[in-house]
Structure formats: structure tokens, C-alpha cells
Amino acid sequence: MEIPNPETNQPRTVLIDPVTRIEGHAKISIHLDADGQVETARFHVVEYRGFETFCEGRPFTEMAAITARICGICPVSHLLAAAKTGDKLLAVTIPPAAEKLRRLMNLAQICQSHALSFFHLSSPDFLLGWDSDPAKRNVFGLIAADPELARSGIRLRQFGQALIEALGGRKIHAAWAVPGGVRAPLAEGLKERVLGQLPEMFAIAERALALFKQLMDTKLGEEREVFGSFPSLFMGLVGSDGRWEHYGGGLRIINAEGSVLVDGLSEDAYASVIAEAVEPWSYLKFPYYKPLGPEAGSYRVGPLARLNLCERIGTPRADRELIELRQRGGRVVSGSLYYHLARLIEIVACLEGIEALLNDPGIEGRHVRARASVNALEAVGVSEAPRGTLFHHYRVDANGLIEKVNLIIATGQNNRAMNRTVTQIARHYLDGAHLSEALLNRVEAGIRCYDPCLSCSTHAAGSMPLQVRLYGADGALVEERIRG
Amino acid sequence: MAPMERSWRSGSVVELVIGIGNRLRSDDGVGPRLAEEVEAWGLSGVESMAVPQLTPELAPRLAACARVLFIDAWLVDGVDASAAAAPLLESLEALELSAAPPSRFSHHSTPQALLQLAEGLYGQRPEAWWLRVPAHGLELGEQLSPATAAQLVPARRALRCWLDRDA
Amino acid sequence: MTVITLTIDGRSVATASGATLLEAARAGGSAIPTLCHLEGLSPVAACRLCLVEIDGDSRLQPACVTAAAEGMVVRTTSPRLAELRRTVIELLFTEGNHVCAICVANGHCELQDLAVAVGMDHSRLPYRFPSRSVDLSHPLFGLDHNRCILCTRCVRVCAEVEGAHVWDVGWRGEHCRIISGLDQPWGAVDACTDCGKCVQVCPTGALFHKGDGTEEKEGHPEQLQVLVRARQQGGAP
């Protein structure tokens, strides 16, 4: 593509060709106003993954296996949401051991997903600085700077993965969680093995916390204020006693001042408070809090939202960290850079939760599956995925064949916050009408705060390169950069 | 062996085959499909796995083996989509220099990045190869397109050749 | 009982007169793949997997319904037969909608096992992607026409063993499908005794227990043989 070079007025092409297996681009467009200032920026997700139509006409009992394949990074989240929706179609209360086992798997999942996000994708930004050589500002630069940190990220991920594998069998896609419970009780010897590994995992999490807190207080002072720091609503699950929750409880929505707008709401009633807007430039749907409209009603979900929403986590180590977080960022923390800190705190909460569950004799129950036939024709299941609240909504016919499916995913709910974050970063760092490396690095890092999982929401088989376009006030393309 | 230990064992696996892709995405599933075939061959000293994408925890397993083969779909479009596109078995050493730094934007990693990770963190890097099988469609579905399916025979031949079993 | 002798795959095999080629071949140690055939049910030679070559006969014959005869020379494997069997399996796969990854029978499916056995790594024939329905109207069982290969084991077991004759084959050509009752929803057929024999003998995931998820269905056709033998001999098996 030929585009004019703003410096020489000669057409020039800034294209870095992406390599194999590319189907879609995550596109970011930055629009300038007449004064050359950033007017708005948008994060577009351009290809739609047709899973919702794919499911129609299938028995609802297959939904767990189908939706678990949406994503290779977090199959557990869809598995649990599908199983919970299935429980409600059967209208059963699942055996207590089954709920504990599902909770155990979700904690392992959140733990390993956060480990990938923090240790491998994001920490190079913080440790190596924005203006360092982009070829080195990645996990390999991190190896040179702090190999132990990189190794410990892998250990933490292995820990979570191995626990998930041990619970669900080698093939996690085979749908271990089913409507009515789970397929197999806790395996012999797993408890002792996992408990034996926990001290090392706590040490890893706490070292990372100490490191990141120190960076937040020093080097990252500016980013703290610029990376998605704006008031917004937050939504997520909260336990009935105000505790941090990831599997049950009710929906809570708070505003930036901490006022509770919605509390204890059953997921069945989500449609009474949440509507989904569709924008012509993105295939992601934009859910928002109905009473306030699409703009003011946009909310954030995920680790930071969960910590903002709860009164306390309910486990000692994580609660100490939560208090520290609130000392740094206030009762409702509004800067998205804090998502990283929230992730680390949640890792601690997950480890403590895993410990408590394994020490609970109830988890060793042998009855783990309730059997029933279809007793409800419509149901909504919800769980907290690592990235935020995940809704599955099915309507079935009298025999249990799927008639309609709606999935509300975390990345969609954070979509507007990602746009605002990119806008904020572009306003701060755009230097004239030129997409500098430093800007691109920060835009990427701004989006990484939300750890968006694009394979979940879109049609990407493998890597998704980033395409950033800068538009002038007249709508003309000024510059384009692509990163594979 | 329990999964917890499996990820850390060393010595027993000499050759590792990793098929990358999503089996519900038509031709993208060709890598996992071939990796599962290798597993069914039951060769001693060969471990085979199918993964939707490469993630960092594979690095210690790479570091523990002598040779690794990545099997991936390679999307050919338009002009290249002719039946002439054939599986390509290449050494990854040669490709090293031209490899771009891996993106941290998605959760996807590249074989080169994973190898560097194995070397940087665990001090070991296996001899690495890449088998790329032409893919023609990545829509929802479990079947391979006829053009990709037709490449299974040469791909299998390349696999056997790499494993140094009768081709 | 008269004993006859014939040659199967170069081996001399002695068998009772009246035995089928399939029985003789299996007794003689030759493995012939089958799909519609099930010991305990009448043979129908519908799937054509068991075709064999007989000297002096230019046509291939289905082993399950061909009587063994004195002096016959039979081959159960040849490049021609291998090619044919693979094509049969490819036809079955392309005719329906078989998505193994999410199927209840994944890992315990006779069609899947046969695809491996005949070396079908892909289909050389185009997939037809027919639009077919799922019947979940029965309180205990389900029927997914997408996975039905029309082997008619269910039809036979219900008519011959259970005596209820709930199942039949309706329509023709590409519209051919298994029907229950007078082409009613399964759950509306009073004749059904809810015995589940059809589910046990189904070689794929077409008939299944409601509530089963992916990979959870394991058919048990051998239970049928125990039952049939017990009835023939009288008394408990």
C-alpha cells in the first residue's frame, strides 16, 4: 500500500509482512482531529468466530465438548460455564464434591493463565523499558535480565496445567465437567502431590509480587496514570458474604466511587441489566450496563474488577495483598496497569484456595454426578474466566436440542475499556503524526493489561498480528504498521 | 507416568514430535492429526503431542530431548493453492537468522521462540526441524480439504524419514 | 453334521456344512471386517465390507450370507478388496456428518476403528454434509441421524430379539433413514419397551443414552450374544 510519508510527502510503505498461518489482524486505528491531536482510537476485532451458530441443533450435553474447543489457552472456562448452564437445564444441584472439584479446576486454570500473561507476555515491558531494542524487549531479553523469573513463570504454569490434566484426564477437551457434575472423583495421590508443590508456588508468586510492587512505585509511575486510568463501572461475581468469587455467588456492578449499582443478581437476570451493542467496525459485541447506556454503562471485568468488587478475598495472604493494593490505588482501583498486580494477587488467592480445597475432606466424595433429564428450557451459566466473567446462555427444545446460544466473553466486555486505554496512550505518546516504536510498544502493552484472548472471540487459527493505522482528520490513512 | 512428573522427565524421550493446530478448524488440524498418528506408531524413544498452540511450558520438554519436529499447517492462498504445494521439511537452524522476534500480542508462540526459551532457560536446545503441510481452508469443521488430505501421504513419508524409520 | 473342507487364504479349513463363509473364515483364522453383521442377528449383507473373492466367480460375494461349499477357494484379502473396503468406509463417512471430536462414541466406535483398520486417513470422495436431525423425544435414549450408517442392527435387534419392531427403514436413496413406529418421534411410539438393546448394538454414536457426553458411550453388542445363547439353550446363561 502506498501512503504519503509525512516527512517527505513522498509515498512510502511501512509494512512488516507477517508470516505463516494468518487469518486475521487485530487492528487498531488512531484518528486525529483537525489540530493533529488524537480524537479517538479503536481496537477492532475483525473476524467473527461462528461458534454460536455451529452449536444450534445439537444436544445440549455436547456443549461442553464443543465450546471447550473454542480456545486452546483456556478451555476450562468454557467447560465450566457450559457445565453450569447444563446443570440448570437439568434443574439439579450438583453433588458437593463435584462443585469443589470444579472450583479446584477453575483455580488451577486462573493460576496458569495469569502466569502466562504476567511472566511471559507482560513482564519484559516492565523490566526492560519501553525504548529498549524491540528485538530484545521480549521474553529473551527477560531471560538475559532475570532468568529465574522466566523459569518460575514456567513452573507456575506447569503446576496449574498438571493439576488440570490430573483432574480432567490427558484430554481436557473430552469434557470432564458435565451437566450434573464431573465425570471422575479426585484421583488417588493427587492431593499429596499438589500440596507438596504449593510452598514453591507461593514463593514464586510472592517474589513476583515484591518485584512488581516495587516497579509500580518507581519506574512505572507514569504508566500507572496513562494506561487505562479512567473511572468506569466494574462487574463480576461476588460471594454472598462479599468475598472474592470465581465460580458461584451473584453478579455485582459497582461504579468508580465504589457505590453498588447491582448486587446479588442471579445470572439468569443478566439481560435485565446488560445489553449488547454492535458496532459496525468490530465483530465483537459490546456489552454495557443498560440504565447508563453504551458509553457511560461500559464496564470492566477480570482480575482488577474482581478485586474491586469484593470486600475481601477470604484467605490471609491474598487479603494482606488486597489491603496493600487498596493503599496504592484506592478502594476502587481505576488504572488498568493494576490488572497485572491484581493477577499476581489472584495467583496467591488461587494457591490458597487450592490448598483449602485439597484439605477439605468433602472434596474426596465419590458421588460426583447428578443425573436428570431436561427440566428447564432456558438457562444461563456463568463463571469467572481468568480474563473476566463468562456467560453461556442456551435455549433448548423440550428434548434438549439447542435452539439458541449466546456467549458473552470477557474480551468483549473489556472492549470499550481497551479502546479508551488505547486512546489515552495515543494522546499521551503520539509524537506528531508518526507511529513511533515507543508508541506502538505502549499501545501493545496497554492492551496486554486486559490479556485479551482473541482466539476466543474471533476467527484466528494461530497468531494474530497487530495492525496499527493512523488516520488524519480528513479520514485519509497517514501511516500503517503491522507487527507479526 | 503421572502428568506432574511427565513434564519434567528427561533422558527417556529422544525425539519429540509436536503437532500444532486446532482440529475443529479444518486444515489447521493437520499437525495434531499427524502427531496422533506418530503416537499410534508407538515408537520407543519418541514422544508425540498435539497442541492448539505453542506455550512456554513446552520449553523444558524441548530441553530434555535430542531432536524435535514441529508439524504445522501452512496456509497457502490464491496462486499457491494449486496441488503443487507440498509438505516442506526444513531444519529450523537455517531459518533462525531471519526469524522475527515473537509477538507478545497474542498467546501464540513460534518454534524458534520456544527453542530459544529452552536454550536460554535450561541450557539445552535440541536439533530442530519443521514440517509444514499446506493448508487450504481454516473454516469450522473437522475434515481436511481434499488438497490437504492428499498431502498426508508425502507428509507421512517425510515424518518417517525424519524419524529415520523406513520411508 | 456333515463336515466340508474349503481353502481360505491358502489354508485348508474344515467347517460344518451350512456355515457361512464368514463363520468358516473366522474359524480358520482369517479376519474379515464387518459392520452390519452381528452374531445373534440375521445377516443382511448391507455394508459390503465382508466381500471376498471366490475362485471361479467373477463377482465378489458377501461372506456373511454366502454358504461355504466343499472345495471352494476363497481369498479374504487382496489389493482389490482392500481398495473396496476403504471406499466403503469413505462412502459411509462422507454420506453422513461424523464429527468424532464431539461424538458420544469417540474412542468406542466401530466405524472409527474400521477407518483405522482400512487405512482411511482421508476421504478421496467429497463430503456431502447432509442436513439431518436429532431425535431426543424418548425419555432415556437419543437418535442422531447424522451419525447413522443404516446398518439396521437396531431394526433387527428390536424385531428379532426384543419382538417390539419399533424400528424400520424409511424413504429411499439419499433420503433413506431409520424411522421409529410409523415415522413418529421415538418418544411417541408406544411399542417401544425402553429396553435399550438398539443402543447397545449400534456401532456408532447414532443411538445413545441421553445425558451421555463426548466419549461416554460404550456399546455392548456382546450382551446380545449372551442373551441369544441363553434363549437358544434355555435357562440362565
Side-chain angles (χ1 to χ4, degrees):
Chain A
M1 186 182 309
E2 302 244 297
I3 50 175
N5 183 331
E7 284 149 40
T8 63
N9 271 328
Q10 294 300 306
R12 69 166 189 177
T13 308
V14 191
L15 273 176
I16 306 158
D17 267 333
V19 280
T20 64
R21 286 173 90 216
I22 287 157
E23 264 195 284
H25 290 70
K27 290 183 185 158
I28 290 172
S29 59
I30 301 170
H31 302 262
L32 303 177
D33 63 16
D35 302 326
Q37 301 300 308
V38 175
E39 187 179 78
T40 178
R42 283 170 180 168
F43 176 59
H44 313 238
V45 176
V46 286
E47 295 196 53
Y48 181 64
R49 188 154 199 165
F51 261 100
E52 290 169 352
T53 26
F54 189 64
C55 303
E56 282 161 22
R58 302 305 313 164
F60 77 94
T61 44
E62 286 178 5
M63 287 303 289
I66 296 174
T67 56
R69 284 165 183 269
I70 291 176
C71 180
I73 289 289
C74 50
V76 171
S77 307
H78 285 290
L79 193 58
L80 291 180
K84 284 187 77 181
T85 316
D87 299 343
K88 290 167 74 174
L89 290 174
L90 303 178
V92 296
T93 302
I94 69 169
E99 182 180 327
K100 291 177 185 3
L101 287 164
R102 284 187 186 173
R103 283 178 171 273
L104 185 63
M105 188 181 258
N106 205 28
L107 291 173
Q109 151 78 359
I110 293 172
C111 184
Q112 60 93 0
S113 171
H114 284 0
L116 179 67
S117 167
F118 180 81
F119 291 88
H120 291 275
L121 302 178
S122 295
S123 66
D125 293 336
F126 317 136
L127 287 167
L128 306 170
W130 304 111
D131 303 310
S132 64
D133 179 357
K136 292 191 182 126
R137 211 191 71 263
N138 54 39
V139 75
F140 309 108
L142 180 68
I143 293 170
D146 193 343
E148 194 45 46
L149 191 68
R151 266 194 295 269
S152 60
I154 287 180
R155 285 294 289 142
L156 203 49
R157 225 178 116 75
Q158 280 179 323
F159 167 78
Q161 295 274 54
L163 179 49
I164 293 168
E165 272 187 25
L167 284 171
R170 185 109 179 87
K171 289 185 188 162
I172 181 62
H173 279 159
W176 167 79
V178 290
V182 299
R183 278 192 195 168
L186 190 67
E188 202 80 21
L190 182 64
K191 172 180 166 178
E192 292 69 25
R193 206 162 63 208
V194 174
L195 288 176
Q197 289 179 323
L198 275 174
E200 184 196 346
M201 299 306 138
F202 276 119
I204 287 171
E206 286 180 358
R207 177 167 178 260
L209 265 166
L211 174 75
F212 189 68
K213 283 188 285 194
Q214 190 234 329
L215 287 170
M216 285 287 273
D217 294 343
T218 54
K219 220 165 136 183
L220 296 172
E222 186 176 287
E223 289 77 5
R224 223 170 46 203
E225 306 307 319
V226 179
F227 280 38
S229 183
F230 48 82
S232 78
L233 309 183
F234 291 92
M235 191 200 71
L237 292 175
V238 176
S240 54
D241 51 358
R243 279 200 205 186
W244 178 79
E245 182 55 77
H246 61 97
Y247 173 85
L251 292 166
R252 178 179 282 186
I253 300 177
I254 60 169
N255 65 17
E257 289 75 48
S259 307
V260 176
L261 306 181
V262 172
D263 199 19
L265 185 76
S266 158
E267 61 271 22
D268 297 328
Y270 85 93
S272 69
V273 293
I274 296 168
E276 290 182 277
V278 176
E279 299 283 358
W281 45 269
S282 178
Y283 275 110
L284 268 182
K285 289 177 282 192
F286 288 73
Y288 61 94
Y289 175 56
K290 256 190 202 170
L292 294 180
E295 277 300 328
S298 75
Y299 57 85
R300 284 181 267 187
V301 296
L304 186 63
R306 290 190 286 260
L307 295 191
N308 277 338
L309 290 159
C310 69
E311 316 300 336
R312 63 187 187 289
I313 291 174
T315 51
R317 297 189 201 215
D319 267 332
R320 277 200 297 276
E321 297 297 338
L322 182 65
I323 290 167
E324 263 201 58
L325 169 76
R326 289 176 178 171
Q327 280 169 357
R328 279 195 171 72
R331 173 60 186 82
V332 177
V333 184
S334 63
S336 285
L337 192 67
Y338 285 97
Y339 265 92
H340 298 296
L341 188 51
R343 247 169 232 127
L344 292 173
I345 297 171
E346 284 201 328
I347 288 177
V348 174
C350 289
L351 294 173
E352 288 182 292
I354 288 169
E355 187 172 32
L357 277 170
L358 286 172
N359 283 318
D360 177 348
I363 203 169
E364 295 179 63
R366 309 309 286 173
H367 178 50
V368 291
R369 184 170 183 176
R371 301 267 185 178
S373 46
V374 177
N375 288 304
L377 299 186
E378 191 165 355
V380 180
V382 67
S383 77
E384 285 289 337
R387 290 158 190 82
T389 319
L390 172 67
F391 293 90
H392 279 205
H393 183 174
Y394 311 155
R395 198 172 69 221
V396 297
D397 71 8
N399 298 321
L401 289 177
I402 295 279
E403 288 182 339
K404 191 117 187 66
V405 170
N406 189 29
L407 309 179
I408 301 182
I409 56 159
T411 299
Q413 294 170 93
N414 278 333
N415 202 350
R416 225 172 269 274
M418 286 192 274
N419 291 338
R420 290 180 69 174
T421 302
V422 173
T423 306
Q424 201 177 18
I425 291 171
R427 280 193 184 139
H428 198 89
Y429 294 106
L430 186 71
D431 178 17
H434 175 62
L435 297 172
S436 67
E437 277 297 322
L439 174 70
L440 254 61
N441 293 343
R442 287 180 170 94
V443 164
E444 266 192 33
I447 288 175
R448 263 200 292 277
C449 291
Y450 304 91
D451 192 26
C453 188
L454 299 171
S455 57
C456 181
S457 49
T458 66
H459 181 79
S463 66
M464 175 162 294
L466 178 66
Q467 178 195 63
V468 183
R469 286 178 164 183
L470 183 64
Y471 294 92
D474 55 356
L477 184 65
V478 179
E479 191 180 353
E480 177 183 60
R481 307 262 319 243
I482 292 177
R483 282 190 171 179
Chain B
M1 192 177 293
M4 201 80 79
E5 278 83 27
R6 186 173 45 222
S7 31
W8 283 103
R9 76 178 175 196
S10 57
S12 60
V13 174
V14 186
E15 288 159 318
L16 182 61
V17 175
I18 302 179
I20 312 161
N22 185 340
R23 294 201 64 155
L24 281 187
R25 281 259 166 222
S26 311
D27 290 348
D28 194 36
V30 72
R33 186 185 286 251
L34 285 165
E36 278 163 27
E37 280 188 30
V38 173
E39 192 168 10
W41 295 347
L43 306 170
S44 74
V46 178
E47 189 177 345
S48 182
M49 61 172 93
V51 297
Q53 53 245 86
L54 296 174
T55 41
E57 67 275 14
L58 293 171
R61 303 178 76 159
L62 253 59
C65 70
R67 298 172 81 218
V68 62
L69 176 67
F70 297 94
I71 313 174
D72 201 354
W74 154 44
L75 188 62
V76 291
D77 50 9
V79 194
D80 299 332
S82 67
L88 221 56
L89 178 66
E90 299 163 291
S91 165
L92 274 168
E93 318 301 320
L95 295 169
E96 201 68 53
L97 294 172
S98 59
S103 163
R104 288 170 297 131
F105 186 67
S106 69
H107 295 99
H108 179 82
S109 180
T110 63
Q112 288 96 331
L114 207 57
L115 286 161
Q116 282 178 269
L117 205 57
E119 187 170 25
L121 289 181
Y122 304 96
Q124 298 283 333
R125 164 197 192 109
E127 177 195 325
W129 293 75
W130 198 4
L131 176 61
R132 288 187 296 159
V133 185
H136 299 266
L138 302 173
E139 59 282 354
L140 281 172
E142 225 209 1
Q143 317 296 349
L144 298 182
S145 68
T148 295
Q151 295 306 326
L152 282 173
V153 174
R156 227 175 269 127
R157 205 178 298 131
L159 256 170
R160 287 198 174 272
C161 170
W162 185 81
L163 289 162
D164 198 23
R165 268 71 175 181
D166 40 32
Chain C
M1 184 176 73
T2 328
V3 172
I4 54 166
T5 311
L6 66 163
T7 307
I8 302 178
D9 295 334
R11 281 188 298 268
S12 181
V13 176
T15 186
S17 83
T20 63
L21 278 181
L22 182 64
E23 287 161 344
R26 287 186 173 169
S30 294
I32 299 176
T34 55
L35 193 49
C36 67
H37 177 266
L38 189 64
E39 191 192 328
L41 301 180
S42 59
V44 288
C47 73
R48 318 308 279 180
L49 270 177
C50 70
L51 290 176
V52 294
E53 293 175 351
I54 302 172
D55 268 9
D57 189 342
S58 61
R59 292 167 309 162
L60 301 170
Q61 297 295 346
C64 69
V65 291
T66 305
E70 181 66 36
M72 252 184 185
V73 178
V74 179
R75 274 174 309 280
T76 69
T77 53
S78 72
R80 180 187 179 198
L81 290 172
E83 168 61 24
L84 197 131
R85 286 174 186 151
R86 178 175 164 165
T87 306
V88 165
I89 298 294
E90 284 178 23
L91 283 164
L92 291 174
F93 265 96
T94 51
E95 185 183 52
N97 298 309
H98 298 277
V99 184
C100 300
I102 55 167
C103 178
V104 287
N106 192 14
H108 318 286
C109 171
E110 292 183 43
L111 181 64
Q112 200 178 34
D113 294 344
L114 281 165
V116 174
V118 302
M120 179 198 149
D121 40 45
H122 72 284
S123 173
R124 297 161 297 183
L125 305 163
Y127 284 85
R128 293 187 61 249
F129 302 114
S131 173
R132 294 187 185 169
S133 61
V134 183
D135 183 351
L136 291 184
S137 60
H138 191 280
L140 300 175
F141 312 119
L143 166 60
D144 186 343
H145 290 286
N146 292 291
R147 301 171 183 153
C148 177
I149 56 172
L150 296 171
C151 70
T152 69
R153 282 187 190 177
C154 54
V155 177
R156 286 173 283 150
V157 79
C158 192
E160 296 170 12
V161 181
E162 182 60 13
H165 208 134
V166 168
W167 297 109
D168 230 316
V169 181
W171 314 101
R172 283 173 186 259
E174 63 172 335
H175 304 294
C176 187
R177 61 183 163 82
I178 296 297
I179 55 170
S180 41
L182 298 166
D183 195 19
Q184 298 154 284
W186 189 359
V189 179
D190 293 337
C192 179
T193 62
D194 306 344
C195 75
K197 290 188 181 68
C198 52
V199 178
Q200 295 291 41
V201 300
C202 175
T204 69
L207 288 162
F208 54 92
H209 289 94
K210 271 170 94 169
D212 272 0
T214 304
E215 296 179 14
E216 287 198 294
K217 181 198 170 184
E218 280 188 70
H220 289 286
E222 74 285 356
Q223 292 178 356
L224 169 76
Q225 283 130 34
V226 172
L227 185 67
V228 170
R229 252 176 256 132
R231 284 193 185 171
Q232 284 164 352
Q233 293 158 7

